[in-house]
Amino acid sequence: MSSLHDLPAEVRSALEPAMRAITADLGHQLEPQTIEQFVVSSYEQLASKAKVTTFLPLMTERFARQRLRAFAKVEGRAEAGTPIVLFLCVHNAGRSQMALGWFTHLAGDRAVAWSGGSEPGHEVNPAAIQAMAEVGIDIAKEFPKPWTDEIVRAADVVVTMGCGDECPYVPGTRYEDWELEDPAGQGVDAVRPIRDDIERRVRDLLAS
C-alpha cells in the first residue's frame, strides 16, 4: 500500500493538513500509519476520477475521515454510536446523493447517512442539485465516491438503487432495494418526481 512519501511533493504538502486534522480527531482510536494509509488510498481513488483537482485535498479529507470512522467501528475501536445508513447506486451522482441530502436533513442527530457508487461519476448531477435546492437542501458540496469494504461493513442499513449484482452484501445487515428512475441525463422537470419519491421513502425509513 502506498505511503505519503510515495506521492509527489506538492501532493504531500496538500494532504498534510488533512493528516493533522484527522489525527487530532481520531488519533486516540487509530495508529498514525493506519490514518496515513487511508488518506493516501482515499486520495488515489478520488484522483483517478477527478476532472478538477482544486478541491481534491478537501474531498480526500472528508472521504478518508468517513472511511476511518467506519474502520474504527468495524474493528471495535469506537462505540457503536448512532445508526449508519448507506445509500448505494451506480454513479453516486443522483439518486443516492438526493437520498443522502433528504436523510441528513430529516434525521437530525438520530442517525448518520453515507453514500457511494459502483462506478462513481465525475460530479453530482446538476439537475439533482437544482431539484434539491428548490426544497431548501444543498447537495452542491457533495461529490461522487466509491463504496469501500469498511464503509459497507460499518452500515446498519444499506439501501441500494439500481446497482444490481454489483451491490455488496454483508450477512446480518438490513438491506432495502429502492426501484427509482435514474435521473442521469434528465432535466430538472423529470428529476422533481424522483426527488419527491425519495423523500417519501426516506421518511418511511426513518419511521421504521
Side-chain angles (χ1 to χ4, degrees):
M1 185 177 289
S2 301
S3 71
L4 203 60
H5 295 290
D6 296 322
L7 300 176
E10 65 273 14
V11 175
R12 292 201 305 271
S13 178
L15 293 181
E16 282 170 356
M19 283 282 301
R20 290 194 294 269
I22 294 173
T23 301
D25 289 343
L26 301 176
H28 63 292
Q29 296 174 337
L30 301 167
E31 300 82 3
Q33 182 180 7
T34 299
I35 294 173
E36 179 179 340
Q37 289 175 342
F38 273 79
V39 168
V40 172
S41 64
S42 295
Y43 170 81
E44 291 175 337
Q45 289 186 64
L46 295 177
S48 67
K49 291 283 187 178
K51 284 186 175 180
V52 179
T53 60
T54 305
F55 300 106
L56 196 51
L58 177 60
M59 293 189 295
T60 297
E61 180 181 345
R62 290 174 58 189
F63 187 36
R65 189 185 296 272
Q66 177 178 304
R67 293 181 61 202
L68 284 161
R69 285 176 173 162
F71 179 76
K73 178 182 177 181
V74 170
E75 294 294 309
R77 304 189 192 188
E79 296 182 4
T82 53
I84 297 171
V85 176
L86 177 61
F87 296 105
L88 300 180
C89 67
V90 178
H91 300 302
N92 190 215
R95 291 166 290 187
S96 56
Q97 293 287 1
M98 288 192 286
L100 174 65
W102 275 120
F103 193 94
T104 302
H105 177 72
L106 296 170
D109 296 332
R110 287 182 289 166
V112 174
W114 295 336
S115 69
S118 57
E119 300 176 13
H122 295 291
E123 62 181 4
V124 176
N125 185 335
I129 293 174
Q130 182 180 345
M132 294 298 288
E134 291 175 352
V135 293
I137 299 175
D138 183 8
I139 62 170
K141 295 180 182 178
E142 296 299 330
F143 56 95
K145 50 197 169 296
W147 64 61
T148 60
D149 179 68
E150 67 281 341
I151 285 176
V152 176
R153 290 193 292 139
D156 299 290
V157 180
V158 176
V159 178
T160 60
M161 308 173 186
C163 47
D165 293 339
E166 293 187 32
C167 288
Y169 176 74
V170 177
T173 299
R174 174 183 166 186
Y175 276 78
E176 291 192 12
D177 183 60
W178 293 358
E179 293 187 7
L180 296 162
E181 186 177 353
D182 189 350
Q186 303 201 55
V188 69
D189 289 342
V191 173
R192 289 189 187 106
I194 304 172
R195 173 201 66 195
D196 296 342
D197 189 4
I198 291 172
E199 178 190 8
R200 177 183 60 79
R201 292 170 186 265
V202 167
R203 289 185 182 276
D204 290 344
L205 178 61
L206 285 167
S208 67

